Amino acid sequence: QCHTLFGEGGKVGPDITGSNRSDLDYLLHNILDPNAEIPNDYRPTNLELKDERSLTGIVTRQDSEGVTIVTAAETLTISRDEIATMRQSDLSMMPEGLLQALNEQQVRDLIAHLRR
């Protein structure tokens, strides 16, 4: 949903096709502690809108007119007059504890898939 692998998947997270996927320590470090290293291009921004909605996503464009933000579900362009506050987050959009919902075989399957 979030990452692209071999041209398939989402765009909110980095394309992991060319990442260091063959290194098991690298994979586990990034999966188990997603907040340890957040690339600047993928540092989330929290937008509080004047209508009391909140959005968190990756800002892909901003100018005097508005901000384009990619959330886990969609890409939105928000007018500057709709934004109450805008601040970068210190937390990754990748949630912690992703492996907790998986059994041992599912974890092995996921790691094997990522390392292919």
Side-chain angles (χ1 to χ4, degrees), residues 71-84:
T71 71
E74 59 192 338
T75 299
L76 300 165
T77 299
I78 308 294
S79 170
R80 287 275 182 191
D81 356 341
E82 295 179 61
I83 300 172

Side-chain angles (χ1 to χ4, degrees), residues 4-97:
T4 301
L5 180 62
F6 300 116
E8 294 182 18
K11 303 287 186 206
V12 73
D15 183 337
I16 58 175
T17 305
S19 69
N20 195 9
R21 293 176 297 108
S22 63
D23 182 342
L24 182 59
D25 288 335
Y26 171 83
L27 279 178
L28 291 175
H29 173 71
N30 283 284
I31 292 170
L32 296 174
D33 191 1
N35 296 310
E37 300 171 39
I38 306 169
N40 284 335
D41 289 347
Y42 294 96
R43 187 166 297 278
T45 297
N46 299 314
L47 296 181
E48 299 294 330
L49 305 182
K50 290 179 181 174
D51 66 4
E52 298 186 11
R53 289 182 298 152
S54 296
L55 298 171
T56 299
I58 306 303
V59 172
T60 57
R61 186 186 68 76
Q62 59 179 313
D63 58 28
S64 60
E65 301 296 315
V67 173
T68 300
I69 188 168
V70 179
T71 71
E74 59 192 338
T75 299
L76 300 165
T77 299
I78 308 294
S79 170
R80 287 275 182 191
D81 356 341
E82 295 179 61
I83 300 172
T85 63
M86 179 172 153
R87 62 181 166 70
Q88 270 199 328
S89 175
D90 292 328
L91 299 176
S92 171
M93 286 185 64
M94 185 165 158
E96 293 181 333

